[in-house]
């Protein structure tokens, strides 16, 4: 039985919506486990059971999605040359957040701040480099064996 395009789109959106709600419940249970010591004893199974359905619903939503075009006007606008800057920003701010989260009570927040500032500087540097030399990134220039015989270095 072939599903119509409209039905597939609605089923895909419904699966994504339920997966998003399951993700919200998962994050909430993990937060409550960390903040309330009594919660972990009673409800830790809830967080463990939400993970698998969340991922399965996201996969089903992706498989049912009938549209090959970008979802919104910003999709596909990020130049691949800038992906390094985005990766630096995500990893650096994640590291800063993890360091801040694991900081001892009453401890200093100097290291997470240094990591955040270094992330900003590194992201700007990578972005400027990609903007100036974007066409050269990822290129590999190999010399053909035929060119070696006529090369002045040979």
């Amino acid at each position: 039985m072939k599903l119509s395009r409209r039905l597939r789109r609605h089923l895909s959106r419904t699966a994504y919506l339920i997966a998003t709600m399951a993700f919200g419940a998962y994050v909430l249970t993990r937060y409550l486990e960390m903040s309330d010591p009594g919660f972990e004893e009673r409800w830790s199974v809830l967080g463990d059971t939400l993970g698998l359905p969340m991922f399965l619903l996201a996969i089903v939503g992706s498989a049912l999605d009938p549209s090959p075009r970008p979802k919104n006007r910003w999709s596909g606008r990020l130049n691949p040359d800038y992906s390094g800057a985005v990766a630096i920003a995500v990893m650096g701010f994640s590291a800063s957040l993890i360091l801040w989260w694991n900081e001892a009570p009453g401890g200093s927040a100097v290291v997470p701040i240094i990591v955040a500032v270094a992330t900003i500087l590194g992201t700007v540097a990578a972005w400027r480099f990609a903007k100036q030399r974007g066409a050269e990134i990822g290129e590999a220039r190999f010399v053909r064996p035929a060119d070696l015989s006529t090369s002045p270095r040979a």
Side-chain angles (χ1 to χ4, degrees):
M1 177 174 117
K2 185 171 172 134
L3 299 174
S4 71
R5 184 176 178 88
R6 184 175 177 191
L7 180 62
R8 286 179 56 199
R9 183 173 58 242
H10 287 302
L11 289 174
S12 172
R13 288 182 181 173
T14 303
Y16 280 139
L17 181 67
I18 295 171
T20 304
M21 289 189 290
F23 178 69
Y26 177 79
V27 169
L28 179 64
T29 57
R30 292 302 177 203
Y31 170 74
L32 289 173
E33 283 179 7
M34 286 189 273
S35 63
D36 184 17
F39 184 83
E40 187 173 0
E41 298 169 2
R42 294 175 288 180
W43 297 98
S44 66
V45 176
L46 180 63
D48 295 337
T49 57
L50 286 171
L52 182 64
M54 175 183 59
F55 289 117
L56 290 177
L57 285 167
I59 291 169
V60 167
S62 179
L64 288 174
D65 192 7
S67 60
R69 64 186 182 281
K71 303 275 185 268
N72 58 33
R73 63 186 180 141
W74 292 104
S75 294
R77 280 196 171 187
L78 184 63
N79 192 341
D81 300 338
Y82 300 118
S83 61
V86 172
I88 290 171
V90 168
M91 289 187 294
F93 287 125
S94 298
S96 180
L97 180 68
I98 289 169
L99 288 171
W100 175 73
W101 187 271
N102 291 327
E103 192 71 35
S108 175
V110 172
V111 174
I113 291 172
I114 290 173
V115 170
V117 170
T119 299
I120 292 169
L121 294 174
T123 302
V124 170
W127 178 76
R128 288 189 64 204
F129 179 81
K131 187 174 180 180
Q132 292 173 355
R133 296 181 181 86
E136 301 169 9
I137 295 175
E139 286 187 14
R141 296 187 177 128
F142 299 103
V143 177
R144 294 180 297 180
D147 294 338
L148 288 176
S149 62
T150 59
S151 171
R153 300 170 97 191

